Amino acid sequence: MGARAGQRIRMHGIVQGVGFRPWVWRMAQEAGVAGRVWNDGQGVTIEIFGSPAALQDFRARLASPPAAASIDASTCEDIAPEDVDDFVISHSAVGDVRRVSIPADIATCAECLAEIDDPRARRFRYALTNCTQCGPRFTIARQIPYDRAHTTMAAFEMCPDCRREYEDPADRRFHAQPIACPKCGPRVRLVNHGGDPGDPFVGAAQLLADGKILAVKGVGGYHLCCDATSSAAVRTLRARKRREEKPFAVMVDALAAAEALAELNSDERQLLMSSERPIVLVRRKSSANLAAEIAPDNPFIGLFVAYSPLHHLLLSEARRPLVMTSGNLSEEPIACDDDEARQRLGAIADAFLVHGRPIENPCDDSVVRVVAGAPMVFRRARGYVPRPVRLGMALSRPVLACGAQLKNTFCLAQGSDAFLGPHIGDLDNLATLSAYERAVNRLLSFTGIVPEIVAHDLHPDYASTRFARERSEVIKVAVQHHHAHVAAAMAEHGLNGPVIGVAYDGTGLGPDGTAWGGEILICELARFERVATLRALPLAGGEVAIRQPWRLALALLDDAFAGDPPLHMLPLFQRVAATDVALVRRMIGQRLNAPLAHGAGRYFDALAALGLGVPQARFEGQLAMAWDFAADAGEAGRYPFVIDGEAPLTMDLRPLVREAVRELIAGISPSLISARFHNTLVAATAETVRIVLRRTGPLPIVLTGGCFQNGRLTESLVRELGEIVHLHRQVPPGDGGLCLGQAVVADAMTR
Ligand code: ZN
Ligand code: ZN
Ligand code: FE
């Protein structure tokens, strides 16, 4: 043995609540080093002592950490050797440890899965099996620090076997806070209308095979579940849930089952099996054995792989893919409390598959799609929350950013960490609003952040704006919607500006009182300049025009054809009553209840209504999505457009509209017209950006706003503009990412 040496290693990243310290302990045993490991405010610190060769061996082992952990950075320094014999796991230093101490929920690990399938294991078929590598975390946490007494498992006393595992540093369940077994842990029951159902999973599978609807209690809330291969079952679920056309997600038991349903690339496979286990939007195979009613007229399907033992047991009995959609009526928050679930879902579900582990923090499934060669998060919730988004900048003061009205999330930011709360949804009913307030209070207490600044949208009528204004913090900052969108992308990529931000969405209030949403801005964090916008359209009836896109199409046509469009030649207007058309034309002509809107999303809605001949939308963004899906992938043609005016420039698409209408009347297929529309919007945007770049010199470009969930638009624009383009990766491009931008702008504006 050589001379004794000492080293201190610090590791940052996801290293707490994922079994990292016990793993380090095992590595230390194997390498034969003494010392200690503990959690601190930034991550994990390790001190090791032994021969130089042993220390080197130990460090080499650290290079492949457990699956649920991820190391952002590590440092190593030499320290004076100490005369210690053992390697010990020290108690966490207190201090600011709580800032990082509650981990996100983690999908079941391979070892736990093997145990529930093993008839000799004591957790055979036990639905609440977990270990330090997997299981619930955020969703069961009541307060900090994260230990068993502070989770919803506090009421369950460990049996001697579980206690032994919990206390043994060599065990996979050392300090696994939700540890449980069939002897001491919560049970699973099938609550049925009939008599004794026997094994709950066998009973549940039988009901599913009979076309019944189940309410299933999972990790972050209840799902509604049915046989995904049965049209009749899916139709029943739609009718009872009052959700007519919005796509449902489908859960499978393993990657092989996902491969049978969808075309997958390696990024998608990796996402499907990641420990976050989001719903992944993937291209459905034409051969897929799935009911068409799951996602009508949609080439994509939201797929996810079982992420808790309960789901695995249910799927292995059911032996078919299952629809798993949030357990709620349309537009309400996900149900998580048992009594509440029974009340709210009783009229929808034929039976309840439940477990006895209370859910403390509701958390919907996350949604991700691979766009331009990398994952883009569309909905950020279970598996990601409360892990912080690391800002490429440091804030001067702690901020609470209250988010948007639709697809709301909020954020608590301090230093270079931004903690986003889970996706809440649209803040337009009391249930959602109170879920929002509870979630804000919960994250305040988990992070210990005391905000000094409260950021909100410029729109005075957003529920999140009213919430912000009622808070007691002194500094309130209103942030313009599209400035916040651009700043969210800047924050993700550590850009301080100036940048050119292309912000395309449905709507957001501009400082001039009109609805913006087709904006090209030069942004810094504290200010922005609007350099270009899409020509505004009147929204006849305001919000009504968004649900009835034929009104938008009419406004577009009246504008493009100077008041004399060939309506009688267009199939769309054969589906709308002549009296309605006359009324709306009067509203547009006289500007009665017809506010102007620049939103790129409105052009998608209008062109889709026109091209597909569909007057109404059943949910927000439905037609825009259908228009994206309709586009012919190989078509490269485009229509004319005009860029004129100054400060700001106007992107005028009237020539596009006239040409598209001529082609439609001539019988050209909607798929070609849609492709040419997309190509034209890309060309007009790229051309405008180049005009701006000639003025400013080279600047980075960010694409943001809900329209950039459209894969075709995003990928074509990236191709057109090249490598200087930054996309959202960690937070949604839509309003679900807005709070992040609000936080960094509010901080910059008050410096
Ligand atoms: Zn496990
Ligand atoms: Zn036990
Ligand atoms: Fe928006």
Side-chain angles (χ1 to χ4, degrees):
M1 239 171 95
R4 203 168 164 85
Q7 282 177 334
R8 181 182 298 130
I9 300 166
R10 288 205 168 90
M11 306 185 102
H12 310 268
I14 304 163
V15 289
Q16 298 189 2
V18 293
F20 198 78
R21 288 173 304 157
W23 173 77
V24 169
W25 183 89
R26 284 197 299 279
M27 295 306 110
Q29 305 305 312
E30 289 173 19
V33 297
R36 57 190 75 92
V37 56
W38 70 94
N39 284 342
D40 60 29
Q42 273 74 49
V44 160
T45 301
I46 308 164
E47 289 176 349
I48 43 170
F49 309 104
S51 70
L55 297 193
Q56 194 181 2
D57 178 21
F58 175 79
R59 285 201 316 275
R61 288 166 195 274
L62 289 188
S64 27
S70 122
I71 294 161
D72 292 343
S74 72
T75 59
C76 179
E77 58 186 318
D78 288 330
I79 55 172
E82 284 178 30
D83 192 20
V84 289
D85 298 328
D86 293 336
F87 191 89
V88 294
I89 297 173
S90 301
H91 281 290
S92 301
V94 248
D96 65 345
V97 66
R98 63 189 189 162
R99 282 189 42 221
V100 285
S101 64
I102 296 179
D105 302 276
I106 310 167
T108 312
C109 73
E111 283 166 287
C112 284
L113 259 188
E115 281 179 69
I116 63 173
D117 282 340
D118 177 1
R120 292 157 310 172
R122 65 187 196 90
R123 292 187 176 85
F124 178 54
R125 289 179 72 79
Y126 183 54
L128 295 147
T129 300
N130 63 82
C131 73
T132 48
Q133 303 295 306
C134 76
R137 299 286 189 272
F138 171 70
T139 51
I140 58 167
R142 290 196 163 125
Q143 61 185 78
I144 45 104
Y146 173 71
D147 62 34
R148 188 175 177 95
H150 293 150
T151 70
T152 61
M153 287 299 292
F156 296 88
E157 192 168 342
M158 286 179 220
C159 68
D161 287 333
C162 284
R163 166 73 54 195
R164 202 163 24 245
E165 294 167 336
Y166 184 84
E167 288 172 353
D168 176 3
D171 195 277
R172 204 171 91 246
R173 297 197 166 86
F174 175 69
H175 283 196
Q177 308 304 347
I179 189 174
C181 78
K183 241 185 293 170
C184 66
R187 301 269 160 83
V188 170
R189 288 185 308 141
L190 181 65
V191 184
N192 200 352
H193 301 302
D196 176 20
D199 180 286
F201 294 103
V202 174
Q206 187 56 52
L207 289 169
L208 290 169
D210 293 342
K212 302 290 192 220
I213 311 295
L214 287 187
V216 177
K217 185 177 178 184
V219 174
Y222 277 75
H223 282 122
L224 288 162
C225 169
C226 74
D227 178 356
T229 65
S230 159
S231 289
V234 179
R235 273 201 301 269
T236 305
L237 176 55
R238 282 206 182 279
R240 292 193 199 161
K241 200 182 168 187
R242 289 183 241 149
R243 175 151 155 164
E244 288 170 272
E245 285 173 25
K246 236 175 179 173
F248 285 142
V250 172
M251 185 184 272
V252 293
D253 63 345
L255 191 58
E259 303 266 13
L261 301 177
E263 307 287 351
L264 303 178
N265 63 33
S266 64
D267 286 327
E268 291 161 346
R269 282 187 200 102
Q270 206 165 30
L271 276 172
L272 280 166
M273 296 312 291
S274 68
S275 59
E276 292 88 357
R277 285 300 150 95
I279 294 169
V280 186
L281 299 175
V282 289
R283 227 161 241 289
R284 182 205 315 224
K285 275 186 182 165
S286 53
S287 60
N289 179 20
L290 287 175
E293 291 82 354
I294 286 174
D297 304 317
N298 190 330
F300 286 85
I301 175 115
L303 275 187
F304 55 157
V305 176
Y307 53 82
S308 83
L310 183 142
H311 296 132
H312 280 284
L313 290 164
L314 179 62
L315 279 154
S316 79
E317 285 299 331
R319 276 183 265 135
R320 66 194 75 203
L322 298 175
V323 166
M324 282 279 185
T325 182
S326 295
N328 55 10
L329 280 176
S330 289
E331 316 309 328
E332 283 183 1
I334 188 168
C336 72
D337 176 79
D338 294 332
D339 294 333
E340 183 204 333
R342 227 153 288 162
Q343 265 182 20
R344 281 168 54 192
L345 306 180
I348 304 177
D350 297 299
F352 282 71
L353 183 66
V354 298
H355 61 72
R357 186 179 66 208
I359 298 168
E360 186 70 16
N361 302 304
C363 212
D364 249 302
D365 296 311
S366 298
V367 180
V368 181
R369 179 175 161 189
V370 173
V371 177
M376 183 184 269
V377 175
F378 284 12
R379 183 162 84 193
R380 194 176 184 277
R382 180 190 46 77
Y384 296 92
V385 174
R387 188 194 307 162
V389 172
R390 302 243 187 251
L391 305 175
M393 53 191 72
L395 302 182
S396 58
R397 277 181 291 191
V399 188
L400 165 64
C402 296
Q405 171 76 9
L406 301 179
K407 302 188 170 59
N408 178 279
T409 60
F410 62 90
C411 144
L412 277 166
Q414 177 170 306
S416 25
D417 284 329
F419 297 89
L420 274 74
H423 162 87
I424 303 280
D426 301 350
L427 300 181
D428 42 18
N429 63 61
L430 215 57
T432 319
L433 202 54
S434 69
Y436 171 74
E437 296 191 12
R438 273 198 306 275
V440 171
N441 288 330
R442 190 43 70 89
L443 203 62
L444 280 167
S445 94
F446 282 178
T447 59
I449 293 176
V450 181
E452 293 173 27
I453 303 172
V454 179
H456 58 82
D457 195 271
L458 205 56
H459 203 303
D461 299 329
Y462 281 9
S464 50
T465 301
R466 288 197 296 269
F467 172 81
R469 292 205 171 144
E470 282 161 16
R471 288 193 60 91
S472 60
E473 290 85 357
V474 177
I475 310 175
K476 309 272 164 65
V477 182
V479 180
Q480 199 278 325
H481 192 91
H482 303 94
H483 187 196
H485 270 309
V486 175
M490 292 169 72
E492 267 195 58
H493 296 286
L495 301 168
N496 283 300
V499 305
I500 297 179
V502 181
Y504 285 177
D505 67 359
T507 189
L509 184 63
D512 62 358
T514 65
W516 289 13
E519 313 307 318
I520 300 184
L521 313 174
I522 296 178
C523 281
E524 294 171 53
L525 291 174
R527 63 191 69 83
F528 72 92
E529 179 196 346
R530 187 194 204 195
V531 285
T533 184
L534 276 169
R535 184 177 167 85
L537 287 177
L539 259 54
E543 289 286 302
V544 182
I546 296 165
R547 290 193 299 277
Q548 301 183 359
W550 69 266
R551 294 174 179 235
L552 299 168
L554 185 55
L556 197 67
L557 291 169
D558 261 340
D559 191 25
F561 289 88
D564 190 22
L567 295 189
H568 59 285
M569 309 280 286
L570 296 165
L572 172 65
F573 290 96
Q574 283 149 27
R575 300 192 180 130
V576 183
T579 47
D580 288 346
V581 171
L583 179 73
V584 166
R585 293 191 85 171
R586 243 192 336 271
M587 292 170 78
I588 295 169
Q590 299 169 7
R591 284 289 148 77
L592 279 170
N593 188 18
L596 286 177
H598 297 265
R602 303 287 92 92
Y603 277 82
F604 277 89
D605 289 341
L607 264 297
L610 207 55
L612 303 172
V614 180
Q616 319 262 358
R618 303 234 187 231
F619 58 88
E620 204 226 336
Q622 182 189 21
L623 289 194
M625 218 158 72
W627 197 229
D628 171 11
F629 299 154
D632 182 300
E635 171 59 24
R638 62 175 169 86
Y639 301 122
F641 58 87
V642 174
I643 300 167
D644 59 11
E646 50 192 310
L649 297 167
T650 299
M651 293 174 276
D652 181 352
L653 302 184
R654 283 177 299 177
L656 171 158
V657 175
R658 287 192 287 269
E659 197 56 32
V661 165
R662 241 188 303 279
E663 289 194 347
L664 196 62
I665 291 170
I668 305 283
S669 84
S671 70
L672 288 179
I673 295 176
S674 169
R676 289 170 191 166
F677 163 77
H678 279 82
N679 299 345
T680 312
L681 186 59
V682 167
T685 306
E687 180 58 30
T688 310
V689 166
R690 284 191 205 103
I691 294 172
V692 177
L693 280 172
R694 279 202 287 277
R695 193 187 100 194
T696 60
L699 290 180
I701 299 165
V702 308
L703 307 184
T704 186
C707 291
F708 290 106
Q709 294 194 0
N710 177 321
R712 183 178 177 114
L713 177 70
T714 307
E715 288 170 358
S716 315
L717 200 47
V718 169
R719 259 198 309 277
E720 189 71 30
L721 290 170
E723 275 141 42
I724 39 174
V725 175
H726 298 269
L727 302 179
H728 284 281
R729 292 303 179 194
Q730 302 180 68
V731 305
D735 284 2
L738 202 73
C739 60
L740 180 63
Q742 291 175 341
V744 294
V745 170
D747 172 73
M749 283 173 73
T750 52
R751 267 185 199 210

